[in-house]
Amino acid sequence: MPVYSEKVMQHFMNPHNVGEIENADGVGEIGNPVCGDMMTFYIKVKDNRLEDVKYKTFGCGAAIAVSSIVSDMVKGKTLEEALTVTPAMVAKELEGLPKNKLHCSNLGAQALRKAIKNYALSHKVDMPGLTDTEEPEEDEHACET
Amino acid sequence: MRKVYMDNVAATPLWPEVREAMLPFLGEVFGNPQSLHAWGDGARDALEQAREQVAALIGGTAEEIIFTSSGTEANNMAVKGLARAKADQGKHIVISAIEHFSIMNSARTLQKEGFEVSMVPVDGFGVVSPDEVLKHVRNDTVLVSIMHANGEVGTIEPVAEIAGRLGRDGPVLHTDAVASSGNIPVDVRELGVHALSLAGNQFNGPRGGAALWVKRGVRMLPLMDGGIQEGGRRPGTEDVPAIVGLGKAAEMAATTLTARMQKLSALRHSLIDGVLGKVEHSILTGHPLQRLPGYASFCIKFIEGESILMLLNSHGIAAASGSACTSRALKASHVLLAMGVDHEAAQGSMLFTLGIDTNQEDVDYVVEKLPQVVDRLRQMSPLYSKFLKEQRG
C-alpha cells in the first residue's frame, strides 16, 4: 500500500495556488530546513476576505500537499473562517496523513495563521484571540514527533 | 513508461541462477541439516557447499563462516559477542561515526552494560583516518569496528591500513563489509581483520542469507542460547534455502566481479558527470574515487529528498535519500551530518545505486529526468526564491 492517500498524491503531483504574491497583505513563514519542512504563505485580503492565497513550500510530499489543500480550503473565506481551520481538518481533507507526517498539517495551519496575524498587525485590524496574544514558540521538536 | 531501478542498496534482484539453486530447497530437499538420514544429508551437503562458496568470496576458510539471518544480525553478533567475550580484559570499544545503525545501536547496548564507546570522526569525504582510530584506542580497548564501505555515500575505508596500525597485539578488529562484499574485492587476510560481516541481499542473493566470518581462535559469545547449529555460536534451525542462495550469489559475485566493477564504475561516472553538469547547486557526497562502483550520491540544494523521490517515482525511477522526511524517525542521515554536510543540504540528499541490470540508457534517462524534477521543486521552494533574491542583491 502506498504511504500516502490518493488525495495527498493528487495535491502533491498538481499542487494548487503555488507561488508568491507581490505586495502581499500578509506573509507567514514557519518551519525550518533542519526539520525538513518550511512553508511561506502569502495572502491578499479584500473586504475581510482572503481574496488570494499563495505559498512556497520546502519539504516532503505531505508538506506540499498540506500547503495546497490549506490554500484551497481558505481561499475566498473570511479571515475569521480561515482561522477556524485546524490541523485535524487539514488531515481529514487530505483523507488522512501517515502518523509521522501529521506535524505537516500543523505547519500548514500555523503558517496561514501567521500570515493573517501579520496582515492584522500591519493593517491595524483588531482580531481578538490573534492580535492580542503571543504566538507560541515554534515547536523545536515538531520534526521529531 | 521506462522503469529504472537505482536503489540496489535497498534490495537487489536475484540472479536467475541463484533462484534456480534455491528452488529444490523450497521443494523436495526439505530436510534438517542436523538429521542423520538421507533427507538431512542433502540439506547438510548444500549447507556446507554454501559455506565453501562464501568463504571463497572473502578468502576465509569454511569453518570460520557463521550463517546469520541478515547483515544486522552479523553486526550485532560481532559487536556484542566479541566485546562481551573480552569484558574481563577491558570495557572500551571504538567505532566510527558513520557506522550502520546495527553497529551504532549495538554499541549503545554495550554502553548500558558498562562499556565505554569512542566514536571516530570522519573527514568531509566520509573517510575514517587510521591516525584518528589510533588516537581513540586505549589500553583497555577490546574491540574496534570500522566499516569497509559506507552504504549511504559509498566511501571505501582504509581498513587494511587501520589493521596494520593496530598491530598484532591490538584489539580485535571487526569490519562491516555488508555494502562492499560481492561488489569489490574483499579478502579477510589482506584486510587483516578478525571478523567481517556480509549479506547476500547486497549482491543479488536472497534476503535471509548473511554471514559473519570470525577468524579461527577469536572468542565470541553467542547472541542467542540454543543448540549446536553453527558450532553453538548461532543456534537455531538453519534457513537452508536462503543459505544456498547466499552461497550461489557469492559464487556468481566472485566470477563476475571484475567485469561488473568495470561496467558499474563507467556507468556511475557517467551518472555523476551528468547530474553535476545538469543540476546547478548539486554536490557529490562521499569520496570522488575511493567509492563503491555502483554508488552515485549527491546533495541537491534548496529541495527535499522525499519529494524528489516521489517525483522520480512518477517517472518510473527508483532511488533513495537520507533526508529527515524519508526516515521514519524524521532525522537527517547521521552519515552526512558526520561528514560536515549541514542539515539543510542533507535534506536534499539523493543516492542512486546501480546494479547488474543497469545500462547506459537508464543513466541517460535519469540525467534527463532529474533536472526536470529538481526544477519543478525549486520553483516552489521558499529557500530557492530567497537564494535568488539574495543573489540579485
Side-chain angles (χ1 to χ4, degrees):
Chain A
M1 201 181 81
V3 177
Y4 289 127
S5 72
E6 230 171 273
K7 194 79 176 276
V8 170
M9 286 309 293
Q10 282 168 11
H11 279 268
F12 171 74
M13 291 306 294
N14 290 298
H16 306 164
N17 307 309
V18 177
E20 296 176 22
I21 299 177
E22 281 210 35
N23 308 315
D25 294 321
V27 180
E29 184 180 293
I30 198 143
N32 64 62
V34 176
C35 280
D37 301 297
M38 194 175 149
M39 294 176 192
T40 311
F41 265 78
Y42 301 84
I43 57 171
K44 198 87 191 160
V45 182
K46 198 179 174 190
D47 302 331
N48 198 45
R49 277 183 191 275
L50 291 172
E51 190 187 42
D52 200 7
V53 180
K54 288 197 184 294
Y55 59 85
K56 287 234 165 155
T57 296
F58 164 91
C60 61
I64 288 169
V66 160
S67 312
S68 172
I69 199 103
V70 166
S71 71
D72 274 358
M73 286 166 79
V74 301
K75 210 168 155 179
K77 295 271 167 62
T78 67
L79 298 183
E80 289 74 13
E81 285 167 344
L83 286 171
T84 62
V85 170
T86 62
M89 287 160 70
V90 174
K92 191 169 170 227
E93 202 68 27
L94 284 172
E95 292 166 2
L97 282 170
K99 237 188 190 160
N100 65 345
K101 299 284 184 179
L102 279 171
H103 72 276
C104 291
S105 57
N106 257 324
L107 290 179
Q110 278 178 300
L112 177 74
R113 186 180 164 87
K114 266 191 149 175
I116 294 175
K117 181 167 179 172
N118 173 257
Y119 158 78
L121 291 174
S122 59
H123 290 72
K124 307 214 179 327
V125 180
D126 264 340
M127 298 191 72
L130 183 70
T131 50
D132 53 359
T133 54
E134 285 283 312
E135 286 301 302
E137 285 291 305
E138 266 180 48
D139 187 357
E140 281 291 315
H141 301 286
C143 45
E144 290 171 17
T145 51
Chain B
M1 186 173 56
R2 200 181 173 90
K3 294 269 183 205
V4 173
Y5 184 75
M6 290 199 186
D7 196 13
N8 282 274
V9 67
T12 50
L14 282 188
W15 291 108
E17 293 89 339
V18 168
R19 188 175 48 240
E20 282 304 311
M22 289 172 70
L23 280 176
F25 299 90
L26 296 164
E28 65 271 27
V29 195
F30 63 88
N32 185 324
Q34 303 302 332
S35 300
L36 300 175
H37 45 57
W39 285 262
D41 293 344
R44 189 164 52 253
D45 289 349
L47 194 71
E48 295 317 316
Q49 192 196 346
R51 210 182 294 283
E52 298 281 352
Q53 288 164 319
V54 172
L57 177 68
I58 58 169
T61 62
E63 311 85 72
E64 296 169 317
I65 299 291
I66 303 164
F67 291 121
T68 67
S69 64
S70 61
T72 286
E73 188 193 338
N75 283 340
N76 269 266
M77 196 190 285
V79 173
K80 295 174 189 167
L82 293 168
R84 284 173 183 159
K86 290 204 143 202
D88 55 342
Q89 294 168 42
K91 288 194 136 191
H92 177 244
I93 70 166
V94 176
I95 64 174
S96 86
I98 59 166
E99 296 298 317
H100 185 262
F101 286 121
S102 52
I103 301 282
M104 290 278 180
N105 290 337
S106 291
R108 198 168 294 172
T109 295
L110 288 177
Q111 257 174 343
K112 289 180 195 149
E113 296 174 11
F115 281 84
E116 277 182 80
V117 178
S118 296
M119 220 179 268
V120 183
V122 296
D123 69 12
F125 292 139
V127 176
V128 180
S129 120
D131 283 340
E132 283 289 336
V133 175
L134 263 290
K135 263 192 229 167
H136 287 82
V137 173
R138 320 188 306 212
N139 285 335
D140 61 342
T141 306
V142 291
L143 174 69
V144 175
S145 180
I146 305 291
M147 66 192 347
H148 188 214
N150 183 272
E152 283 187 47
V153 294
T155 298
I156 299 169
E157 305 297 347
V159 172
E161 204 184 328
I162 292 168
R165 299 284 299 276
L166 288 172
R168 277 172 56 105
D169 302 322
V172 170
L173 176 60
H174 165 255
T175 190
D176 168 6
V178 168
S180 57
S181 293
N183 295 305
I184 56 172
V186 171
D187 185 302
V188 290
R189 314 286 170 200
E190 277 173 27
L191 288 174
V193 295
H194 300 95
L196 177 144
S197 309
L198 63 88
N201 60 344
Q202 292 289 310
F203 52 90
N204 310 96
R207 273 160 259 185
L212 178 66
W213 169 86
V214 182
K215 190 175 180 176
R216 188 201 302 251
V218 173
R219 271 194 72 221
M220 184 181 73
L221 297 183
L223 287 179
M224 294 188 294
D225 298 309
I228 42 81
Q229 295 90 350
E230 303 299 290
R233 297 207 272 192
R234 205 287 190 174
T237 304
E238 301 89 343
D239 184 350
V240 177
I243 291 168
V244 166
L246 169 66
K248 186 67 185 175
E251 187 192 299
M252 296 290 297
T255 52
T256 59
L257 190 65
T258 311
R260 198 154 35 89
M261 282 178 64
Q262 270 174 6
K263 178 190 132 180
L264 288 180
S265 298
L267 290 172
R268 177 249 294 171
H269 271 299
S270 168
L271 180 59
I272 290 175
D273 287 349
V275 170
L276 295 181
K278 282 200 163 184
V279 179
E280 267 194 307
H281 312 295
S282 61
I283 55 159
L284 180 72
T285 55
H287 197 280
L289 300 171
Q290 286 301 315
R291 62 190 300 133
L292 293 173
Y295 273 57
S297 54
F298 309 92
C299 281
I300 299 174
K301 286 194 79 175
F302 313 120
I303 54 177
E304 190 279 323
E306 188 198 273
S307 44
I308 304 174
L309 290 182
M310 288 170 70
L311 285 180
L312 285 177
N313 185 47
S314 75
H315 290 295
I317 298 168
S321 167
S323 88
C325 295
T326 48
S327 77
R328 281 260 166 140
L330 301 182
K331 292 213 170 94
S333 151
H334 68 286
V335 173
L336 296 173
L337 298 181
M339 287 164 56
V341 174
D342 65 52
H343 271 93
E344 188 186 316
Q347 302 299 358
S349 75
M350 288 301 299
L351 171 59
F352 298 90
T353 38
L354 288 52
I356 53 172
D357 295 331
T358 311
N359 58 36
Q360 185 63 45
E361 287 74 42
D362 293 335
V363 169
D364 294 343
Y365 184 70
V366 171
V367 171
E368 177 199 337
K369 292 297 175 191
L370 181 66
Q372 298 171 14
V373 164
V374 170
D375 244 16
R376 180 167 161 180
L377 290 169
R378 281 188 179 157
Q379 288 312 315
M380 59 187 304
S381 163
L383 296 171
Y384 190 56
S385 42
K386 264 187 198 167
F387 167 78
L388 290 180
K389 275 172 202 158
E390 277 163 21
Q391 237 190 3
R392 276 187 233 120

